[in-house]
Structures are given as structure tokens and as C-alpha cells.
Amino acid sequence: MLTIVIIAVIVIAAVVLFVVGRGRIRAGGGRGLKHRFGPEYDRAVADHDGDTKAAEQELGERVEQHGSLDERPLSPEARAQYRAQWADVQERFVESPQKAVTEADALLAGLARDRGFPDGEQFEEQFAALSVHHPAHVHGYRSMHTAARGQSGTEEMREAMVEARSLFEALVAEQPADPDQGSSQTPQSRDGNGNGHAPWALNRPHVKGNNT
């Protein structure tokens, strides 16, 4: 009889801990989620037509599924290679915007995969995981992925490339601490080799082949 009581207590305690754990993710009526996700929280609410509860459920599920993910560091060689590839893609943008954006999208997906995120073949899953760990930088990746599908004009593609740069910098940064992180330069102000400017093609308000 005592054994049954002990087992029952253990089961009840486990259930309570599970419920409390889920409650903490949504603690404060979503204040915790809003603080964690920032602009991505507002985007989720908009995607659910203003249904805050549905948006918080989705974001809470993202945290439960991907919150424990450990990002893998890059080797210095891999980091240098990614920077060189990104710089090359940016330089080619002026001649072939659509091709450059498509290549940049694939490059960013591969970089995220190498850092330990889900494979880029499943964009939504990879994006969800990235939004948990880099919420301030994912908007540009979403825009660039849309542009890579051929659904944007040249100016929109340029803006998407510039915005996606912040996620690229966050993922390619030296781990665990990048000495450049304390710099006053913004990701958009640095070129693919870490220098203090972005390629002129991406800084121009209009580029060859502008449409829409």
C-alpha cells in the first residue's frame, strides 16, 4: 500500500512540474515571450490575425522544441570561407540580383545547419529554431527566402540582402565571444571580409535591372 502511495505522489509531482514548466514559458500573460522574441512576437500575432493566445502558443512550442539546442562553433577556416563566399555573392548582386539572392539564401541555410540548426531543406523548422536563438536577426532571412523564390522586385531583393546580413554576422561570429562584437559598426556597415563597409552594390538605393 505504501509503495502505491509513493508512486502516486511521484506521478502527481511529475505532472505538476510539467504543467508549471509550460506555464513559465507563457509566464506573465506572454510578457516573457514578448521580451524573448521582440519583433518576431508582433509578427506572430499579426500572422494569427491578432489572436495573441494562438501566437503565444506557437512561440511557446518553438521554445519547447528548440530552446535546448546547442549551437556548434565554426572553425576559423570555415568562418573565413563563409565570409569570402558571402562577399562574393554581394559583389555579384549588381549583375544578377535574383541569382545572388538565391545563392545567399542557400549559403545562409548551410551556415545555420553547420552551426547546429535544423537542415535548411525544411525552411520553416530551421527558421523556427533560429527565431528562438536569434530573434532580432531573423526578419531579413525570411525576406531573403521569399525573394529567393522569385516573389520580389530588385529593390526588395537588395533590402532583403542587407537585412539578412545581421543574421549572417550573428552566425558567423567567433564563438564563444567575438572580439569584434564590441565594435560600434553595425552588421550592414561591414563587408564580407569584416571590413568597415558593405559592397557598393548593396548600398545603392537603385541597382541595374530595378523593377516594381
Side-chain angles (χ1 to χ4, degrees), residues 43-103:
R43 175 63 182 253
V45 172
D47 285 347
H48 286 278
D49 298 322
D51 188 337
T52 303
K53 185 176 181 180
E56 290 174 359
Q57 180 177 350
E58 177 192 331
L59 295 176
E61 289 172 355
R62 291 190 201 180
V63 175
E64 290 177 13
Q65 185 174 0
H66 303 293
S68 60
L69 182 149
D70 289 326
E71 296 185 60
R72 295 193 297 261
L74 294 174
S75 68
E77 294 78 15
R79 189 179 305 112
Q81 183 177 14
Y82 272 117
R83 287 193 182 280
Q85 290 176 322
W86 187 269
D88 288 342
V89 169
Q90 289 184 138
E91 292 293 344
R92 290 198 298 272
F93 182 88
V94 66
E95 293 297 332
S96 183
Q98 185 65 61
K99 184 177 179 181
V101 167
T102 300
E103 291 177 357

Side-chain angles (χ1 to χ4, degrees), residues 1 3 13 15 24 26 30 38 58 84-85 90 108 122-123 132 175 185 191 193-194 203 205 208:
M1 182 64 181
T3 301
V15 171
R24 284 178 177 173
R26 302 174 176 84
E58 177 192 331
Q85 290 176 322
Q90 289 184 138
L108 196 49
Q122 301 294 328
F123 173 76
V132 172
Q175 298 83 33
Q185 295 173 340
D191 69 13
N193 295 312
N203 283 333
K208 178 181 177 181

Side-chain angles (χ1 to χ4, degrees), residues 184-204:
S184 61
Q185 295 173 340
T186 62
Q188 289 83 359
S189 69
R190 301 171 61 185
D191 69 13
N193 295 312
N195 298 321
H197 60 89
W200 65 270
L202 294 184
N203 283 333
R204 296 180 66 195

